[in-house]
Amino acid sequence: MKFQNLVEPFLYKEKAMLLAYDHGLEHGPHDLIGKSFDPNYILDLAQKGKFTGIILQKGIAEKYYWGSSYSRYVPLVVKINGKTNIASTEPYAAINCSVSWAKKLGAKAIGYTIYLGSRREAEMLREFGKVQEEAHQLGMAAIAWIYPRGTDVKDESSSEITTYAARVGLELGADMIKIKYPGSRGSLQLVKRMAGRTKVLLSGGQITEETKFLEEVKEAIDLKIDGIAVGRNVWQREDALMFSQKIYHGIWPGE
Ligand code: FBP
């Protein structure tokens, strides 16, 4: 088995454009404005917007994706851990779905969040080690959301900690990492270098001005970042499909 090949279901011409939709758990209904409360609306957007993958927690995967026509067109990442934003404890995202159940739901990859620097980091490193091996054994990719966060993390988006996060992803055997924009071109370049053969996806973040986001995507692609995994910045817009098409053309110019 070639581990590098496990991410192929999510790549088109070597790049990935994933639609993230686990916010109902992570942030609550507050994020789900307009039509975005409806999982079918999001799945339709993923298909029509030519996303190369969709990220769901298991409940939505079971009730909306499994057995649907979308499952034939849009590869699935099941996010197997998560948390709400209600408790203000040290960040830790508990596992709520097994790797084998994600496989049954049709997932081609599992997603797992590691809060790097959290006082509960050790638990997450241990758990990720376990689920990464299980995923690989079942022929699935392991995608790590690596978000520096917790009492001991002074600056969650500094260049230093983001490049550290990228290297941690490689060391732990993540096939892809999902990180937040580190603030500058130079930092992004370093992230890519430190991640080695682990592919790097940029998170979308809160809804921003349209051109600002498209410029970030263009910059990332110029710097050979492997793609994006975006949620709110797409589906919180009224013109989400049109915006997805602009992102698509940003990632694959001339298509
Ligand atoms: P966005 O593109 O909307 O930022 O989504 C990316 C993501 O990682 C989601 O998968 C997740 O629900 C959310 O961000 C978590 O954000 P945070 O931990 O910063 O609250």
Side-chain angles (χ1 to χ4, degrees):
M1 168 172 49
K2 264 206 147 191
F3 293 116
Q4 285 103 298
N5 295 349
L6 293 172
V7 291
E8 268 172 14
F10 301 100
L11 298 180
Y12 172 63
K13 295 188 175 173
E14 296 299 312
K15 300 284 177 209
M17 176 173 143
L18 307 186
L19 190 62
Y21 187 62
D22 56 337
H23 303 65
L25 174 69
E26 296 286 334
H27 299 160
H30 159 270
D31 262 6
L32 306 176
I33 57 175
K35 294 182 225 150
S36 71
F37 75 93
D38 179 2
N40 278 322
Y41 169 72
I42 300 292
L43 283 160
D44 209 48
L45 177 64
Q47 187 183 338
K48 292 189 176 133
K50 299 198 209 160
F51 282 85
T52 64
I54 177 102
I55 299 160
L56 303 172
Q57 287 276 347
K58 81 167 171 188
I60 291 184
E62 286 179 357
K63 291 186 171 55
Y64 294 84
Y65 180 91
W66 168 251
S68 74
S69 62
Y70 303 116
S71 65
R72 293 203 292 276
Y73 301 105
V74 191
L76 174 67
V77 180
V78 172
K79 185 75 195 333
I80 63 166
N81 72 339
K83 64 167 187 56
T84 70
N85 66 6
I86 299 166
S88 55
T89 49
E90 198 62 13
Y92 170 73
I95 291 184
N96 58 55
C97 177
S98 66
V99 177
S100 59
W101 192 249
K103 174 88 180 171
K104 283 209 175 77
L105 294 174
K108 300 282 187 286
I110 54 111
Y112 183 100
T113 298
I114 298 168
Y115 293 111
L116 195 70
S118 160
R119 290 184 182 172
R120 301 195 64 184
E121 178 195 86
E123 289 164 75
M124 291 175 276
L125 296 188
R126 188 183 320 118
E127 282 173 10
F128 182 74
K130 186 167 174 287
V131 297
Q132 183 263 9
E133 287 174 18
E134 286 170 7
H136 284 186
Q137 254 152 11
L138 291 171
M140 301 156 82
I143 307 180
W145 280 224
I146 311 193
Y147 292 167
R149 201 167 293 176
T151 313
D152 301 322
V153 177
K154 302 291 166 257
D155 180 355
E156 293 177 359
S157 56
S158 72
S159 175
E160 200 186 343
I161 202 150
T162 319
T163 47
Y164 197 163
R167 194 66 182 191
V168 167
L170 173 63
E171 299 279 352
L172 296 180
D175 301 292
M176 283 188 178
I177 51 167
K178 184 167 174 335
I179 52 145
K180 306 225 178 199
Y181 183 75
S184 75
R185 242 183 122 77
S187 308
L188 209 49
Q189 239 161 350
L190 267 179
V191 161
K192 179 66 186 156
R193 189 182 310 154
M194 286 303 149
R197 289 188 175 159
T198 291
K199 298 207 178 285
V200 178
L201 303 179
L202 270 194
S203 265
Q206 283 176 3
I207 190 161
T208 47
E209 209 261 306
E210 180 175 315
T211 24
K212 182 174 179 288
F213 185 68
L214 292 173
E215 272 162 18
E216 274 179 22
V217 171
K218 187 176 173 308
E219 178 178 272
I221 298 303
D222 287 349
L223 295 174
K224 311 259 180 286
I225 296 297
D226 304 285
I228 60 162
V230 59
R232 292 163 290 177
N233 233 315
V234 168
W235 46 251
Q236 285 187 342
R237 294 178 196 275
E238 287 251 342
D239 57 349
L241 181 56
M242 206 187 292
F243 192 63
S244 308
Q245 285 158 351
K246 289 183 187 166
I247 297 176
Y248 185 90
H249 294 306
I251 298 180
W252 296 282
E255 285 274 326

